[in-house]
Amino acid sequence: MTGRIPYHNPVFAHNFPDPFVLKYCGEYWAYCTGYWSDGRVFGILRSRDLVNWQEVGGAMLPLPGDYPCYWAPEVTYDNGRFYLYYSAGDEATMHIRVATSDHPAGPFVDQGTRLTHEPFAIDAHVFVAADGRRFLFYAADFLTHERIGTGTVIDRLLDPFTTAGQPRPVTRALYDWHIYDPQRAEKGGVCWHTLEGPFVLEHKGIIYQMISGGNWQNPSYGVTYATTRDIDTPGEWGQLCDGERVLPILRTIPNRVIGPGHNSVVRGPDNRQLYCVYHRWGSDGRQLAIDPLEWAGERLFVLGPSHSPQPGPIWPTFADFFDRPQPDGWQTSGRWQVGDGVALAHPAEGGATLAYETGALPFLAEVSARAVAEQGGRYGIRLSRDGRTLLQLRLSPAHSTVTLIQADGTEEELPLPAGFRFDAFHLLRVEVDGRRVTYRIDELPAVWRDLNETPTGIALVAHGRPAAFAGFALTAGWQDDFDRDEGLPGPEWAGNRDGGWAIRARQLRFDGAGEGRLWRGPCLANYELVVNARLDDAAGAYGIAPALSPDGVGPLLTVERGSGGWVARWQQPGGEPQEFPLPQRCDPADFQQFRCCKEGDRVSIYWMEHEVVALPVAPAATCVGLYARGAAAFDLIRVSAFPR
């Protein structure tokens, strides 16, 4: 069993236009444009796996007055409150408003605030920059631009209800594929262009705005993106797609997928893999669809739009939604009250603990936590080995502090934003990779520390006063995108680490002198390996070892030039090599992504979404490796365990 629930788009086969998905306390909440069957606006769905969805109802009552249209809701969570940003109006004139609630299911109440002042403003999206500033992206009309029509703008959010009132263009129409209507009657017969539906992501210092362009009825319609390295840039962002040489990353597939667009992005159940959530046209209107989203180098792409059965999201190695009377799989001390999605600690004098033994495996864990009382007590996450605390993240409401506590008792206070509410749920994220531990709270910058030992256990802890935990998920595995330390690969790698390998400019590079081999564990039985690689020497090769023994012995898949083009060459130790052609559009001079799924004695290898080959491997081979002959670069390696 791999813990993957297969899916086949659409995952909700009813009308659900302009979908936005929020992940909160480990569960997914989806919101859509328009009226719902209960007479409210903005339909809500709920899921735990992104695949199976249940209807919840409408998010809010319609506004009093003449507001027939309710478009493109987006819900953000901040410090205990949910903010629903949306567009309202009569279609010809629209503006952006905000409603609030204390629960993702609502009811949301409009706050009587108009955030925009243009005659037409839709598709609100809130982006939190690395420095904590919040920005509102939305779509507005440009009537004096060379190509008349709708584009996107950015404005600073001073607080959840107030913009700076200084919107500036981000993307405006540049190409013919942006044409919505060559003679739009309701706009006076002008050739009208459309770029809309902004959604913004940051990756390795580059900010990406995903946008939908054109008219969904045209085959050229789809999703593309624009980029910048500076959120404060005064000019427009650089657009990727010209509609001819470079096509949208999501686009119509005639007779199979019509009009995929207006997307949002959310982390999957394993809390690593990103998913693009979008709508596509079907027999019941615009229907909900999902597909994985990735980067290879600076290129953002979606493994879709898929129209056949797909391997579903990877499920965590261990997850607990705390909806059973007794916590299952935990070692428990102290008094706990579990149910309705919350584990409530009632700490006695010795505190209360939920502990889970991970072994010496790397892992990523997330949990949402809050204090039940503002005064007194402390709570957080503890990492341990053989009963000894190695590192603890402690939240203390009485002192308004978050502290990292080392094994020797050294305390380090971490910065918090003004007004941080300890009685509100905050997302705690901890990643363990050998002796390196990374913590993150909500959207605050991550902090990492190197320990003297590798943790083998994680615990949720509370002392002094009650605390609540929700949505715990732990996924065994590790990810390295080489964006922190420069120099030689870390000690977790075996092989010729100092023989031409170096981390530079957020990439692991081999200098091309001879051959280079690296491998690492620790051992996992069944897993997905994802590798991004680029060949800088056309006469060389790069390789992926998807299933090695701990001493680095096992088969190798290399990408190199064959007699008829680029091939994947599979070499078992002592065996004859086998060659498999790669698709013509696979250019190893650019970063390419390969996925290797090992289950038992077999590994399936994919380039992008296309399966290259499935081959036998030794079931006990559980390490992974990299190979280079000639100059090559790698910018991502990710291993995620399939739960047993």
Side-chain angles (χ1 to χ4, degrees):
M1 176 182 177
T2 65
R4 307 185 79 165
I5 302 170
Y7 74 93
H8 191 171
N9 281 324
V11 292
F12 185 72
H14 303 286
N15 193 40
F16 203 80
D18 303 332
F20 175 83
V21 174
L22 170 75
K23 191 172 190 180
Y24 172 72
C25 289
E27 294 189 302
Y28 298 99
W29 299 83
Y31 306 84
C32 76
T33 278
Y35 285 80
W36 202 245
S37 57
D38 59 5
R40 294 174 175 264
V41 294
F42 306 127
I44 306 175
L45 305 177
R46 185 178 186 178
S47 175
R48 287 183 173 176
D49 56 25
L50 280 178
V51 175
N52 298 291
W53 295 88
Q54 294 80 43
E55 298 184 29
V56 175
M60 61 176 263
L61 291 171
L63 296 171
D66 187 17
Y67 292 97
C69 298
Y70 296 86
W71 292 355
E74 173 171 312
V75 175
T76 67
Y77 172 77
D78 182 35
N79 222 20
R81 296 292 287 170
F82 297 87
Y83 301 88
L84 189 157
Y85 294 88
Y86 68 97
S87 308
D90 61 4
E91 187 171 1
T93 60
M94 303 286 292
H95 65 272
I96 292 173
R97 305 177 67 90
V98 61
T100 64
S101 175
D102 59 4
H103 194 276
F108 286 86
V109 177
D110 183 81
Q111 295 302 296
T113 301
R114 177 171 176 161
L115 277 74
T116 56
H117 302 284
E118 298 93 338
F120 186 83
I122 61 171
D123 298 354
H125 169 68
V126 175
F127 173 70
V128 182
D131 60 8
R133 291 181 298 162
R134 292 176 179 259
F135 294 87
L136 183 70
F137 289 78
Y138 58 95
D141 287 349
F142 294 91
L143 303 181
T144 59
H145 184 56
E146 179 183 359
R147 289 177 178 260
I148 295 173
T150 304
T152 67
V153 301
I154 179 177
D155 200 355
R156 175 85 185 276
L157 267 179
L158 304 179
D159 61 47
F161 312 105
T162 311
T163 63
Q166 298 174 336
R168 62 182 188 271
V170 177
T171 51
R172 294 185 287 188
L174 296 178
Y175 306 108
D176 286 348
W177 79 273
H178 296 157
I179 294 174
Y180 178 85
D181 188 339
Q183 291 181 310
R184 193 172 183 186
E186 58 269 44
K187 300 294 184 178
V190 301
C191 181
W192 191 266
H193 302 72
T194 295
L195 290 172
E196 59 187 1
F199 192 94
V200 182
L201 300 160
E202 189 276 337
H203 177 71
K204 289 194 176 185
I206 301 176
I207 304 171
Y208 297 74
Q209 181 192 243
M210 302 181 73
I211 41 177
S212 300
N215 186 318
W216 71 269
Q217 299 174 87
N218 298 333
S220 58
Y221 175 83
V223 174
T224 183
Y225 62 85
T227 63
T228 184
R229 293 184 181 272
D230 181 5
I231 192 72
D232 296 311
T233 181
E236 294 184 38
W237 298 12
Q239 295 188 38
L240 168 81
C241 171
D242 61 9
E244 297 179 0
R245 183 181 57 85
V246 180
L247 300 178
I249 59 173
L250 273 181
R251 57 186 181 274
T252 290
I253 303 175
N255 303 318
R256 292 186 178 273
V257 180
I258 304 300
H262 199 111
N263 73 285
S264 59
V265 179
V266 69
R267 290 194 182 275
D270 68 347
N271 292 314
R272 288 200 193 276
Q273 177 69 66
L274 292 174
Y275 278 85
C276 180
V277 181
Y278 58 97
H279 67 222
R280 46 184 278 181
W281 286 82
S283 58
D284 194 18
R286 288 171 283 179
Q287 301 171 335
L288 182 64
I290 65 170
D291 281 306
L293 179 144
E294 291 280 6
W295 281 272
E298 297 182 358
R299 176 169 55 94
L300 183 154
F301 61 93
V302 178
L303 297 175
S306 68
H307 50 82
S308 60
Q310 300 294 308
I314 296 175
W315 194 248
T317 306
F318 176 66
D320 199 336
F321 290 97
F322 301 120
D323 50 9
R324 300 180 299 274
Q326 294 295 325
D328 186 18
W330 298 95
Q331 298 175 11
T332 307
S333 67
R335 181 176 164 226
W336 290 85
Q337 179 184 348
V338 179
D340 297 326
V342 173
L344 182 62
H346 296 277
E349 185 174 337
T353 303
L354 286 180
Y356 179 79
E357 287 299 313
T358 63
L361 294 177
F363 65 82
L364 169 65
E366 286 193 359
V367 69
S368 295
R370 70 177 180 89
V372 176
E374 272 289 340
Q375 299 300 316
R378 56 196 186 276
Y379 61 98
I381 295 178
R382 184 178 68 211
L383 299 176
S384 62
R385 184 183 183 95
D386 301 329
R388 295 174 289 111
T389 298
L390 300 184
L391 191 65
Q392 183 172 343
L393 180 73
R394 185 180 69 190
L395 292 85
S396 177
H399 302 96
S400 297
T401 58
V402 174
T403 308
L404 275 182
I405 306 173
Q406 306 258 7
D408 62 2
T410 302
E411 296 189 5
E412 176 187 359
E413 188 174 322
L414 303 180
L416 285 177
F420 185 91
R421 286 182 50 191
F422 288 86
D423 63 341
F425 272 119
H426 294 277
L427 181 64
L428 311 182
R429 181 180 172 100
V430 57
E431 190 166 1
V432 173
D433 187 5
R435 291 180 293 154
R436 171 154 289 190
V437 177
T438 305
Y439 280 107
R440 186 167 189 170
I441 301 176
D442 295 333
E443 295 155 327
L444 298 175
V447 295
W448 57 87
R449 298 293 179 267
D450 290 321
L451 307 182
N452 293 325
E453 300 178 84
T454 298
T456 59
I458 185 172
L460 313 180
V461 297
H463 294 271
R465 291 292 182 93
F469 298 87
F472 181 84
L474 182 147
T475 302
W478 53 273
Q479 176 172 317
D480 200 339
D481 46 18
F482 311 109
D483 65 345
R484 286 197 296 244
D485 301 328
E486 296 215 343
L488 295 178
E492 66 274 11
W493 290 98
N496 58 339
R497 294 174 49 242
D498 57 354
W501 295 98
I503 298 173
R504 299 192 306 273
R506 295 176 167 174
Q507 297 173 6
L508 172 63
R509 300 185 181 186
F510 185 70
D511 64 10
E515 294 183 327
R517 294 178 185 269
L518 294 174
W519 67 90
R520 62 162 291 184
C523 298
L524 299 172
N526 301 300
Y527 50 84
E528 178 185 73
L529 165 66
V530 179
V531 177
N532 290 349
R534 183 190 69 214
L535 189 59
D536 294 332
D537 179 356
Y542 61 72
I544 303 166
L548 297 174
S549 63
D551 56 359
V553 176
L556 176 67
L557 180 84
T558 57
V559 173
E560 52 192 288
R561 190 175 293 280
S563 58
W566 293 102
V567 299
R569 181 169 291 158
W570 180 258
Q571 178 77 59
Q572 289 276 12
E576 292 295 321
Q578 298 173 264
E579 286 190 1
F580 306 94
L582 291 170
Q584 286 188 351
R585 60 190 181 95
C586 176
D587 182 1
D590 296 325
F591 273 107
Q592 303 294 330
Q593 183 170 99
F594 290 85
R595 292 174 181 250
C596 306
C597 298
K598 180 185 179 293
E599 300 181 64
D601 62 355
R602 199 156 189 84
V603 62
S604 299
I605 300 171
Y606 298 82
W607 170 74
M608 306 290 283
E609 69 270 33
H610 305 287
E611 185 172 10
V612 176
V613 65
L615 294 162
V617 293
T622 54
C623 294
V624 300
L626 303 175
Y627 167 85
R629 186 181 72 244
F634 302 84
D635 87 330
L636 169 72
I637 304 168
R638 182 173 71 235
V639 176
S640 300
F642 294 142
R644 292 187 293 274

